[in-house]
């Protein structure tokens, strides 16, 4: 294969977003090479199970590349995906936390493999179908991650951990589009067979049996029954394993004469689920660890930000302070169901400053 510095490697998931991203880059004059990561073999054997990780997804990506007239390659990332995404996902749920596997997949598997493949063939850039933008700040020399113009589809929350090397090499053609309808319209106009493909909102490696069964099959101890305790320390029921619960959950808790109860804390070490009324879900303070500052250097003093505690949640005004290897985030107003294991991402307007993994609230 002959390549030049105008070659871009595009991550092809088999969906409409990556297909249109590749098409837009072709239109801009890039030489496009499509790459699909083989990340997961679903235990059910169903080739359609697993969304962008499925065998059907690989075939859709190959078909799209043929329609666009570009080369397509498949890269084996099964081992890395299991080690960097699936195993930590199971461990987190077994420990009473609620992780977001897509955040880690992007930085530790997807972008790492795409950049490695690009370096191997001498390509200068990588591209994906994410709805985000990148800017270069000449004053600091840093590449900055910026929200996509489509507020509904903005995926900056999922990419806050990207490194400067990854950002410097990345192109996000969909970041300038204002609606998903524009993406689908482009796909139809180009005659792409994935134009009407349904979006997958599920965790790609969790099959139809559901995430609890998936976790229990890999961490049987997470299905150990235990007590459900109310805010006054009274046992009000029995749960069937901490893996089935997350902060703010109402389903699976016993009914009481005092109104609905919600999960307020998960003590996986003792096997206890704590429950309380809705008002017990609100807090103004969280501590985040494993912090990454993507667009700025680590702040040396308190910093006013807008913070987002889960994907697609509204941002809220807060003040953050770096304390050792952790960040203390104090919100102006109490936030509902701050959940250990999820990411908190800090913004300055449309610019992503950084973020970390919520350790405690």
């Amino acid at each position: 294969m002959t390549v030049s510095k105008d070659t871009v490697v595009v991550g092809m998931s088999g969906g409409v977003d990556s297909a249109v991203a590749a098409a837009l880059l072709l239109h801009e004059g890039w030489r496009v090479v499509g790459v699909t990561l083989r990340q997961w073999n679903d235990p059910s054997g169903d080739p359609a199970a697993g969304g962008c990780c499925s065998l059907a997804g690989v075939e859709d990506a190959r078909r799209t590349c043929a329609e666009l007239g570009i080369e397509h390659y498949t890269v084996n990332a099964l081992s890395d995906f299991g080690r960097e995404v699936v195993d930590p996902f199971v461990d987190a749920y077994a420990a009473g936390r609620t992780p977001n596997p897509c955040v880690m997949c992007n930085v530790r598997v997807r972008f790492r493999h795409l950049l490695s493949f690009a370096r191997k063939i001498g390509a200068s850039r990588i591209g994906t179908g994410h709805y985000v933008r990148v800017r270069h700040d000449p004053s600091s020399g840093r590449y900055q991650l910026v929200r996509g113009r489509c507020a509904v589809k903005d995926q900056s929350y999922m990419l806050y951990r990207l490194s400067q090397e990854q950002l410097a090499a990345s192109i996000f053609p969909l970041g300038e589009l204002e609606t998903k309808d524009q993406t689908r319209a482009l796909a139809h106009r180009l005659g792409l067979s994935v134009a009407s493909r349904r979006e997958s909102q599920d965790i790609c490696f969790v099959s139809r049996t559901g995430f609890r069964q998936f976790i229990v099959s890999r961490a049987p101890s997470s299905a150990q029954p235990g007590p459900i305790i109310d805010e006054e320390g009274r046992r009000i029921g029995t749960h069937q394993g901490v893996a089935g619960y997350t902060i703010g959950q109402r389903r699976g808790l016993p009914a009481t004469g005092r109104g609905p109860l919600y999960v307020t804390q998960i003590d996986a070490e003792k096997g206890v689920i704590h429950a309380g009324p809705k008002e017990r879900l609100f807090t103004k303070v969280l501590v985040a660890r494993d912090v990454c500052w993507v667009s700025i250097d680590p702040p040396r003093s308190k910093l006013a930000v807008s913070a987002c505690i889960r994907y697609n949640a509204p941002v809220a005004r807060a003040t953050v302070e770096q304390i050792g290897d952790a960040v203390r985030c104090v919100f102006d107003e109490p936030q509902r169901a701050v959940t250990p294991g999820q990411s908190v991402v800090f913004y300055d307007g449309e610019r992503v400053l950084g973020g970390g993994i919520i350790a405690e609230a």
Side-chain angles (χ1 to χ4, degrees):
M1 177 172 57
T2 303
V3 297
S4 61
K5 289 299 182 184
D6 62 353
T7 300
V8 57
V9 170
V10 176
M12 305 293 293
S13 67
V16 65
D17 292 333
S18 59
V20 172
L24 289 174
L25 288 170
L26 270 175
H27 180 72
E28 290 176 12
W30 289 88
R31 177 179 180 185
V32 178
V33 175
V35 170
T36 302
L37 302 184
R38 190 76 188 94
Q39 298 180 163
W40 183 248
N41 288 324
D42 194 84
S44 69
D46 182 354
C52 62
C53 293
S54 67
L55 284 170
V58 174
E59 289 306 312
D60 285 341
R62 184 177 290 119
R63 185 183 310 111
T64 296
C65 288
E67 291 167 354
L68 292 173
I70 64 176
E71 297 160 290
H72 177 262
Y73 297 87
T74 302
V75 172
N76 187 335
L78 288 166
S79 178
D80 281 354
F81 189 74
R83 182 180 64 254
E84 300 288 355
V85 179
V86 179
D87 291 347
F89 174 85
V90 172
D91 292 344
Y93 261 108
R97 300 188 299 274
T98 305
N100 191 319
C102 294
V103 169
M104 293 306 177
C105 175
N106 281 322
V107 66
R108 295 182 178 177
V109 181
R110 186 169 299 171
F111 279 77
R112 186 166 70 82
H113 275 278
L114 288 176
L115 191 54
S116 174
F117 187 89
R119 298 288 187 251
K120 249 179 227 181
I121 69 169
S124 59
R125 308 295 288 275
I126 61 174
T128 73
H130 288 97
Y131 290 80
V132 293
R133 292 173 288 161
V134 176
R135 292 177 184 161
H136 183 257
D137 178 14
S139 62
S140 67
R142 293 183 74 97
Y143 287 86
Q144 301 179 338
L145 181 65
V146 180
R147 284 183 179 275
R149 293 198 184 281
C150 178
V152 175
K153 288 294 295 179
D154 168 56
Q155 292 167 297
S156 57
Y157 178 95
M158 297 293 191
L159 300 180
Y160 78 92
R161 303 187 71 86
L162 293 184
S163 68
Q164 285 293 296
E165 181 188 19
Q166 290 167 332
L167 281 178
S170 296
I171 310 175
F172 302 106
L174 305 190
E176 297 293 337
L177 300 185
E178 296 183 349
T179 68
K180 178 65 179 260
D181 288 343
Q182 286 180 277
T183 306
R184 289 204 182 276
L186 283 168
H188 281 294
R189 196 162 71 212
L190 292 165
L192 298 176
S193 55
V194 296
S196 299
R197 181 179 170 181
R198 182 179 63 87
E199 269 189 280
S200 173
Q201 301 294 332
D202 301 322
I203 297 172
C204 63
F205 55 87
V206 175
S207 64
R208 298 181 181 90
T209 57
F211 82 91
R212 184 184 182 277
Q213 187 56 42
F214 179 85
I215 295 160
V216 169
S217 69
R218 291 167 172 260
S221 62
S222 65
Q224 185 70 28
I228 301 174
I229 306 296
D230 70 9
E231 71 273 22
E232 295 177 6
R234 297 174 298 193
R235 181 167 184 155
I236 57 172
T238 301
H239 66 78
Q240 298 305 310
V242 296
Y245 295 83
T246 187
I247 302 298
Q249 179 176 320
R250 182 178 174 186
R251 178 181 51 81
L253 298 180
T256 71
R258 295 169 293 154
L261 297 179
Y262 301 82
V263 176
T264 58
Q265 182 185 350
I266 302 171
D267 187 339
E269 189 174 337
K270 295 180 180 178
V272 176
I273 299 293
H274 293 268
K278 183 184 294 185
E279 54 265 27
R280 295 293 292 270
L281 291 174
F282 289 84
T283 182
K284 290 183 71 172
V285 183
L286 66 81
V287 174
R289 300 190 183 279
D290 198 8
V291 178
C292 295
W293 296 100
V294 59
S295 298
I296 62 172
D297 292 325
R300 297 181 179 179
S301 58
K302 290 183 179 180
L303 181 66
V305 302
S306 296
C308 181
I309 59 171
R310 62 179 59 86
Y311 180 56
N312 271 345
V315 296
R317 289 187 302 178
T319 301
V320 297
E321 182 180 11
Q322 185 94 30
I323 303 173
D325 62 350
V327 163
R328 186 171 186 264
C329 177
V330 182
F331 291 92
D332 290 7
E333 300 292 335
Q335 301 299 299
R336 185 184 187 278
V338 176
T339 305
Q342 290 286 292
S343 288
V344 56
V345 179
F346 310 124
Y347 292 86
D348 173 20
E350 61 181 7
R351 181 177 58 145
V352 179
L353 302 177
I357 309 298
I358 299 172
E360 55 185 293

